[in-house]
Structure formats: C-alpha cells, structure tokens
Amino acid sequence: MPRKENGGEQSSPLAWMKEIAIEESSTIANITLGEKIRDGSIVIELPDICNPQECETIRDYCCRRAVCDEQLAMLDESLALNQVGLVRLPTIQAATRAQETDTTCAEPLAVEIDDLCQDILLRVAALIDEKIPSIVVELFSDEEESESAKNCPATI
C-alpha cells in the first residue's frame, strides 16, 4: 500500500506516477486505482509527462491570457466571463461546441497551445493504456466489465 507523505501525497509503487490523496478513503488497500480516481479520492500526478519547455509555453500563454481577460473586465464589466481570479481557457473544440449551441464562451486557446495540450493529453492516454489499463475500464465501462477487469493486473 502506498505510504502517506507530506500534504496528502502518497508515493506509488509505480515510480512514473504519484497519487495525491484528496480524502482519507484513498488509503483503503482493497480499492483499485481506477475506483479511487472515479470516486474522486485521489488524482494522479505524472511528473515527467511533459518537458519544462512545454510547461513554460503553456504557463506563459495562460498568464498572458489572464492579464488580458482581467484588463478587458476592468474596461467593461459586462464582458467579464470569469469569476475573479479564474480564467476560462476552452479548447478550440469546446469553443466550437459552445458556439454551435449558442452558449457564452471565452475565446479558445491559440492553435499552437491547443495542439500542445492535445499532444500532452494523448501522451497521458497512451501511458495509462500501457501501464494501468484497468483505469480505463474502471472509469469508462459498465459495472459488469469493470468487475472482470479488476482481476487483470496492470501491465508494468
């Protein structure tokens, strides 16, 4: 069983990831990783999924957008879509769906940032499929399939 570390973080027997406990039930040994994620008791940190340059690129873009949104809201409060301290940064696909349903939406991410986020998300999906496929079954299949998948060990 993972041991609890500082601030609710747990070291994982899977060295490529870290479980971060949101609530105490995440320490129960007989619950699968997929069940913990589904129940919202943990999140998984994948510290090496992107490189420092990718992180910096996304961070810098988001900070610039936050400043622009804040300045826009100061000029005209009716243009503010966000709560104070929060900025919506929808993907291009999400902004397109919002437009199709006449839903108010912030400007989407720039194409290069959207592409970078999609690339990172695909890396996460591939890593999870490779290392712990039971998570996919636990989160996205019906209960009968999920029960049978619990008996399949993760490929490590």
Side-chain angles (χ1 to χ4, degrees), residues 8-60:
E9 295 180 5
Q10 297 179 353
S11 63
S12 171
L14 307 174
W16 52 272
M17 65 169 233
K18 182 174 16 175
E19 292 181 35
I20 300 173
I22 296 172
E23 57 184 54
E24 288 302 311
S25 66
S26 68
T27 60
I28 300 171
N30 62 345
I31 296 179
T32 68
L33 191 58
E35 288 172 314
K36 291 176 186 179
I37 293 170
R38 184 194 62 216
D39 296 341
S41 60
I42 66 163
V43 293
I44 300 295
E45 178 183 339
L46 303 173
D48 297 324
I49 202 70
C50 57
N51 66 47
Q53 179 60 43
E54 292 170 323
C55 290
E56 186 176 328
T57 299
I58 294 168
R59 185 195 65 234
D60 289 350

Side-chain angles (χ1 to χ4, degrees), residues 27-100:
T27 60
I28 300 171
N30 62 345
I31 296 179
T32 68
L33 191 58
E35 288 172 314
K36 291 176 186 179
I37 293 170
R38 184 194 62 216
D39 296 341
S41 60
I42 66 163
V43 293
I44 300 295
E45 178 183 339
L46 303 173
D48 297 324
I49 202 70
C50 57
N51 66 47
Q53 179 60 43
E54 292 170 323
C55 290
E56 186 176 328
T57 299
I58 294 168
R59 185 195 65 234
D60 289 350
Y61 174 81
C62 293
C63 288
R64 285 193 309 274
R65 279 286 300 270
V67 169
C68 290
D69 283 7
E70 187 176 282
Q71 291 171 344
L72 183 62
M74 287 171 52
L75 292 172
D76 184 348
E77 278 190 33
S78 69
L79 298 175
L81 292 174
N82 304 305
Q83 298 174 9
V84 176
L86 300 176
V87 177
R88 290 190 224 179
L89 298 171
T91 62
I92 293 171
Q93 186 177 9
T96 300
R97 280 193 313 270
Q99 185 177 22
E100 290 169 354

Side-chain angles (χ1 to χ4, degrees), residues 49-50 54 58 115-125:
I49 202 70
C50 57
E54 292 170 323
I58 294 168
D115 288 347
L116 178 55
C117 290
Q118 294 294 329
D119 288 345
I120 293 168
L121 185 59
L122 289 172
R123 279 183 249 156
V124 169

Side-chain angles (χ1 to χ4, degrees), residues 94-145:
T96 300
R97 280 193 313 270
Q99 185 177 22
E100 290 169 354
T101 60
D102 292 324
T103 302
T104 303
C105 187
E107 288 294 314
L109 296 170
V111 172
E112 63 275 6
I113 300 299
D114 190 84
D115 288 347
L116 178 55
C117 290
Q118 294 294 329
D119 288 345
I120 293 168
L121 185 59
L122 289 172
R123 279 183 249 156
V124 169
L127 184 65
I128 287 172
D129 283 349
E130 175 189 340
K131 301 285 188 178
I132 40 177
S134 62
I135 287 179
V136 175
V137 173
E138 188 68 45
L139 296 177
F140 302 110
S141 65
D142 63 32
E143 285 186 33
E144 189 174 302
E145 288 177 292

